[in-house]
Amino acid sequence: MLHINTLLFIVITSFLLSCGQPSKDIHETRFMMGTLVRFTIVHPDKDIAKVAIRKAAQEMQRIEDIFTIYGNKPNSVKKFNRLPIHTPFTFPSEVNVLLETSVHIKKQSHGAFSPSLAALNKLWGFSNAEPPSTPPSPASIQNLLPGTQNCLQKQGKQWLRTSPNCQLDFGAIAKGYAIDRGIEVLKKYGIQHAMIDAGGDIRLLGKHGENDWRIGIRDPRHKDNVIATLSLHGDVSIVTSGDYERYFISHGQRYHHILNPKSGWPSYSSESTTVIASNATLADAWSTALFVLGKKGIKIAEKLPLQALIIDSNGQVYHTKGMPINLLTKP
Ligand code: ADP
Ligand code: MG
């Protein structure tokens, strides 16, 4: 006969197993788009899941290649950025769609999001192999800034740039688009429960076994701490932009990779922003836009409608009414 304690142990153990790591999780991590991309799939057939991940990763690499402004491989974005000014150019349709989306978000965000900052982003150098440790000179920023502003024009279906410093950079939106394409590939392989997490840019599908997917929002100043958790399921994206991933401190001042397009300097409205949207393209672009807007971005998010959480530069937490969070620390 089983002793009552033994029985309790068995019950508790099986409970823990069912709540903990579901046994059918298939994980893979690849380095892409300058970050670790983690695929998690819940599917009974490991072989199908592995093929689906490989194909999704290939598709995401294709997206990186057509949008990146770094490296030697030619693409239409690099070509446009070098064209003589006032030369009309036709982008491949996929690039054109993301450019249209970017220009639209620029308008909706009152210029907080800008796809034409490549010259400034390169001057700051946060995407270089060797990250910077001192800011560029104020004169060099002042020199570039006017040429990056309101400098894209459309002629019919073609685009042209009106200054040599008007150069496209999809760094704040293309990772989200790549995740969306990756998810489409997973769906094609019949995957219904999955997560793609590209360094905090996440899209998820379905459920994590019996449970919702659980996501934590980091404390921007104590990266090992989580300030809020969310339980999400279905087909949804959640993306965080922060000033704590790519930054340096010089003379006590933090400098990071999200620029205020109006000043050419890092934006100091927020420490981090998290956005929930129906796809990762929108969530990625808006997490950057709201980062620059700071707490006044909450009203804009509510109208769109997006769900958002902003930790401002004083560490205060603001969020949209519908943000489905469980705050672990008091705002
Ligand atoms: P991450 O790439 O770390 O996820 P973001 O999605 O916020 O962060 O994108 C930051 C990148 O976007 C920068 O490295 C730069 O290439 C570009 N960028 C910087 N500031 C802006 C801005 N205000 N609007 C659009 N793109 C920006
Ligand atoms: Mg972004």
Side-chain angles (χ1 to χ4, degrees), residues 94-115:
E94 207 172 14
V95 178
N96 198 60
V97 169
L98 209 65
L99 179 54
E100 295 278 2
T101 305
S102 300
V103 169
H104 186 54
I105 294 173
K106 177 178 191 282
K107 281 200 195 104
Q108 288 177 307
S109 68
H110 309 291
F113 179 93
S114 168

Side-chain angles (χ1 to χ4, degrees), residues 24 44 66 78 81 165 188 228 236 245-246 255 300 312:
K24 293 197 184 80
I66 64 176
K78 289 176 191 165
N81 287 350
N165 291 327
K188 251 203 241 160
V236 68
E245 291 290 359
R246 282 188 273 161
Y255 298 93
I300 297 178
D312 79 356

